[in-house]
Amino acid sequence: LEALADGEHLLTVHGQRVGHVNGLMVVELADHRFGCPLQISALSQAGEAGVLNIEREVELSGPLHDKAVLILTAYLQRLFAPLAPLALQASLVLEQEHGEIEGDSAAAAECVALLSSLAGVPVLQGLALTGALGAEGELLPVGGINEKVEGFYRACERLGLDGQQGVIVPARNRQHLMLAPEVVQAVRQQRFRVLAADTLGEAMQCMTGLPFGERHGADFTPGSVLDRARRQLQAFRQACAQVATPAASSTRAARALRGRRQAP
């Protein structure tokens, strides 16, 4: 909390940003557990590398977190591959996190950050998101839910509550909520919010103010997050095709030249 107040630990809890989402993790020290918010950022561009998990590349990601990113990638392929093949090179990083990361509770926030980057849609920084991601886009329950909500509340309290901040939790975690009295009081006074969502789409709609989108034949709902992401993926595909075409032509020309040289 002191690092947040001093500006050493970066956390934005006001305004909007594209490709940045506040996630939540639990830190365990001996017999004490507390929630710690962290920023998750995503960058996307045209390419063929797919989704790059930077934590995994530097060997700071455990198998459960690796699995969660693979499920995230499969979910994106399910959404877009039939309409706009994934000509995508994207990176996911947990900002200012230097220790090992394990668990799948950041998967939903990582997916929102990536879709925000793809669609160019800003995300409300006053809302944090926790939840595992199912293959069909469901928000699955996670552990340490009370510590996570309380941790983000204390961070927002230190940085300045504005009545718009809160945490989105999986609906299946509602039965596990047993929050500290000061958090309950802040919710009653409408200084802080605790929201529940069944799906990633519901959570992202809360965080962007835009409809998530539904598929209609070969398109998504016009103006929705998925529609904007699909258009960007199609632009990526066209950019990759334009780069590949000259290379293919050069290869064919080189082969023809070698053939002429070898002819008797």
Side-chain angles (χ1 to χ4, degrees), residues 31-157:
D31 59 348
H32 186 66
R33 297 174 44 163
F34 60 93
C36 182
L38 75 162
Q39 283 198 337
I40 299 171
S41 64
L43 295 173
S44 57
Q45 59 187 15
E48 301 289 348
V51 179
L52 180 68
N53 176 9
I54 291 180
E55 312 301 324
R56 179 181 180 182
E57 294 301 310
V58 297
E59 299 182 352
L60 287 178
S61 176
L64 293 180
H65 185 253
D66 292 342
K67 177 183 177 182
V69 175
L70 292 174
I71 292 174
L72 182 161
T73 305
Y75 175 62
L76 291 178
Q77 291 172 336
R78 174 182 171 275
L79 283 175
F80 299 113
L83 308 178
L86 294 182
L88 172 69
Q89 182 171 319
S91 62
L92 289 169
V93 62
L94 309 183
E95 302 283 358
Q96 289 187 290
E97 180 53 47
H98 309 298
E100 293 186 0
I101 296 295
E102 182 57 301
D104 58 0
S105 63
E110 289 173 325
C111 193
V112 168
L114 186 50
L115 286 172
S116 168
S117 176
L118 270 175
V121 172
V123 174
L124 290 172
Q125 299 299 289
L127 291 176
L129 174 62
T130 184
L133 184 65
E136 300 290 329
E138 317 96 314
L139 276 190
L140 303 179
V142 295
I145 194 69
N146 294 297
E147 291 86 351
K148 291 174 180 177
V149 174
E150 292 167 4
F152 192 66
Y153 168 77
R154 294 189 178 105
C156 292
E157 186 181 39

Side-chain angles (χ1 to χ4, degrees), residues 158-236:
R158 183 64 63 98
L159 296 174
L161 287 169
D162 61 10
Q164 301 301 311
Q165 294 141 341
V167 177
I168 301 176
V169 303
R172 296 170 178 84
N173 268 129
R174 279 183 295 198
Q175 60 183 328
H176 305 128
L177 289 173
M178 191 182 298
L179 299 170
E182 61 267 27
V183 181
V184 175
Q185 185 68 12
V187 172
R188 286 175 176 165
Q189 295 174 351
Q190 298 184 353
R191 294 184 295 118
F192 191 75
R193 297 183 290 169
V194 180
L195 310 173
D198 284 301
T199 65
L200 181 81
E202 292 178 9
M204 192 160 191
Q205 186 164 330
C206 289
M207 301 180 83
T208 63
L210 293 174
F212 187 62
E214 297 180 0
R215 182 176 295 176
H216 303 285
D219 295 304
F220 290 104
T221 306
S224 65
V225 173
L226 295 184
D227 178 55
R228 299 182 187 204
R230 177 190 61 81
R231 294 177 185 275
Q232 185 62 68
L233 284 170
Q234 288 179 332
F236 285 169

